[in-house]
């Protein structure tokens, strides 16, 4: 028994999608994608909108019920009222965050160079032990750190700096695991032949580190400094525990403005905007190096 089948002529094919229709469909998908992204961005920036709008309102126009309204006139009165309350904290936080971020980045750079380019016994054990510090939360060490700093005279009134020196030491040490990881990933991508050439020219380890490794580590320094500056600038818990009243960082001063029974919203928003400016300025200055340093070493074979 022979089953009849219909033969389809070779010249008969299904109609392809017209190029114009395909282009229109792709354009519609792009429009929808960008609309969704813009909507999400606007939703994410709503707190920033409230922060900026409220900061520049006249103090008499600030209220919780009118927080979304645009100011009828721009006013700097909130900044003038809040700055005297934050000035001392600003100085304390700058004297803490700048040296803490720089020193932690330099020490992390040295650690990363040694761990990536110098072979020594138990190197595979030392690196994981250093990284373990990343996963230790502040709350787990706050009591032993407090007792240790009190014993060595670096806490509160026992310290001539009011505890800022001890607080700086805490942030330097606590930041070493992440800065070591950043620089180690960066130096993994550094060619070994470059260091071998320097060694043939008579450069030792220290000379190679200072003259070759450090100048080539600008992206990693940008990431480490941004990370450490932001961490130490935004610290509240260790600052409240370690420092005396005259040495309080700016986060505690800002909390005292916003944490009362009657919250002056205008001053609180203006203070938050002022406190965020140093970290924003740092991101603007070093932002072009940030992604390069963050991704360094991740694409190595």
């Amino acid at each position: 028994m022979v089953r009849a089948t219909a033969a389809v002529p070779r010249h008969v094919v299904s109609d392809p999608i017209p190029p114009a229709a395909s282009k229109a469909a792709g354009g519609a998908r792009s429009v929808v994608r960008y609309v969704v992204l813009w909507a999400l961005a606007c939703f994410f920036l709503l707190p920033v909108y409230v922060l900026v709008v409220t900061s520049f309102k006249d103090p008499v126009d600030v209220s919780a019920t009118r927080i979304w309204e645009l100011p009828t006139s721009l006013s700097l009165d909130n900044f003038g009222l809040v700055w005297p309350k934050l000035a001392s904290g600003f100085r304390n936080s700058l004297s803490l965050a700048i040296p803490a971020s720089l020193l932690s980045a330099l020490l992390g750079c040295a650690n990363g160079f040694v761990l990536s380019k110098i072979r020594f016994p138990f190197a595979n054990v030392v690196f994981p032990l250093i990284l373990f510090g990343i996963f230790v939360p502040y709350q787990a060490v706050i009591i032993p750190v407090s007792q240790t700093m009190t014993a060595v005279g670096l806490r509160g009134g026992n310290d001539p700096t009011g505890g800022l020196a001890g607080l700086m030491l805490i942030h330097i040490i606590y930041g070493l695991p992440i800065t070591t990881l950043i620089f180690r990933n960066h130096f993994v991508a550094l060619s070994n032949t470059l260091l071998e050439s320097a060694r043939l020219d008579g450069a030792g380890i220290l000379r190679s580190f200072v003259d070759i490794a450090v100048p080539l580590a600008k992206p990693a320094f940008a990431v480490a400094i941004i990370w450490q500056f932001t961490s130490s600038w935004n610290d509240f818990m260790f600052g409240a525990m370690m420092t005396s009243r005259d040495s309080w960082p700016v986060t505690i001063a800002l909390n005292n403005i916003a944490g009362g029974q009657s919250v002056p919203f205008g001053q609180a928003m203006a203070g938050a905007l002022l406190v965020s400016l140093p970290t924003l300025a740092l991101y603007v200055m070093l932002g072009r190096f940030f992604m390069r340093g963050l991704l360094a070493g991740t694409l190595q074979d």
Side-chain angles (χ1 to χ4, degrees):
M1 179 177 180
V2 179
R3 181 177 298 176
T5 58
V8 179
R10 293 184 179 180
H11 65 277
V12 178
V13 296
S14 59
D15 293 336
I17 299 175
S22 177
K23 186 176 181 181
R29 286 194 296 268
S30 297
V31 170
V32 172
R33 185 184 304 116
Y34 281 111
V35 168
V36 172
L37 291 175
W38 274 107
L40 292 174
C42 292
F43 179 76
F44 178 79
L45 292 174
L46 281 177
V48 180
Y49 164 80
V50 173
L51 177 72
V52 175
V53 166
T54 307
S55 298
F56 287 97
K57 285 182 179 179
D58 190 279
V60 298
D61 294 333
V62 176
S63 67
T65 58
R66 301 169 57 191
I67 201 168
W68 299 101
E69 297 179 8
L70 290 171
T72 55
S73 61
L74 294 179
S75 173
L76 298 178
D77 291 346
N78 288 317
F79 295 96
L81 292 171
V82 79
W83 176 248
K85 304 175 183 179
L86 297 178
S88 177
F90 242 89
R91 290 192 296 268
N92 294 333
S93 288
L94 286 175
S95 62
L96 161 70
I98 292 175
S101 56
L102 292 177
L103 290 174
S104 186
L106 285 172
L107 292 174
C109 182
N111 288 347
F113 180 75
V114 170
L115 289 170
S116 61
K117 295 301 178 185
I118 299 176
R119 296 181 179 179
F120 60 92
F122 305 108
N124 294 332
V125 177
V126 172
F127 184 53
L129 287 177
I130 293 176
L131 292 187
F132 180 74
I134 298 176
F135 307 102
V136 179
Y138 285 178
Q139 294 83 355
V141 298
I142 187 169
I143 294 177
V145 166
S146 175
Q147 293 174 341
T148 301
M149 290 300 175
T150 301
V152 298
L154 291 177
R155 179 171 180 258
N158 297 327
D159 180 11
T161 64
L164 283 178
L167 185 58
M168 184 191 309
L169 183 62
I170 289 173
H171 282 289
I172 291 172
I173 295 175
Y174 219 95
L176 279 179
I178 186 64
T179 56
T180 298
L181 176 64
I182 291 169
F183 281 100
R184 194 249 183 202
N185 287 345
H186 179 82
F187 287 131
V188 163
L190 184 64
S191 175
N192 291 327
T193 57
L194 188 63
L195 299 178
E196 292 171 0
S197 299
R199 192 177 300 112
L200 291 175
D201 290 338
I205 295 176
L206 183 60
R207 185 70 177 274
S208 299
F209 172 72
V210 173
D211 291 346
I212 297 176
V214 172
L216 294 176
K218 290 180 181 178
F221 269 109
V223 176
I225 290 174
I226 288 174
W227 184 281
Q228 281 303 105
F229 185 92
T230 304
S231 176
S232 54
W233 182 267
N234 292 336
D235 173 62
F236 178 85
M237 186 178 66
F238 277 130
M241 177 194 72
M242 288 294 303
T243 58
S244 58
R245 185 181 184 89
D246 293 337
S247 300
W248 277 347
V250 72
T251 49
I252 299 178
L254 182 61
N255 177 75
N256 291 340
I257 295 173
Q261 293 181 350
S262 177
V263 180
F265 289 104
Q267 296 182 37
M269 297 294 184
L273 185 59
L274 288 173
V275 170
S276 66
L277 289 180
T279 51
L280 289 175
L282 190 64
Y283 273 98
V284 170
M285 290 187 296
L286 302 179
R288 63 192 183 98
F289 297 109
F290 186 76
M291 290 307 300
R292 288 168 51 193
L294 199 62
L295 298 176
T298 58
L299 302 179
Q300 296 299 306
D301 295 333

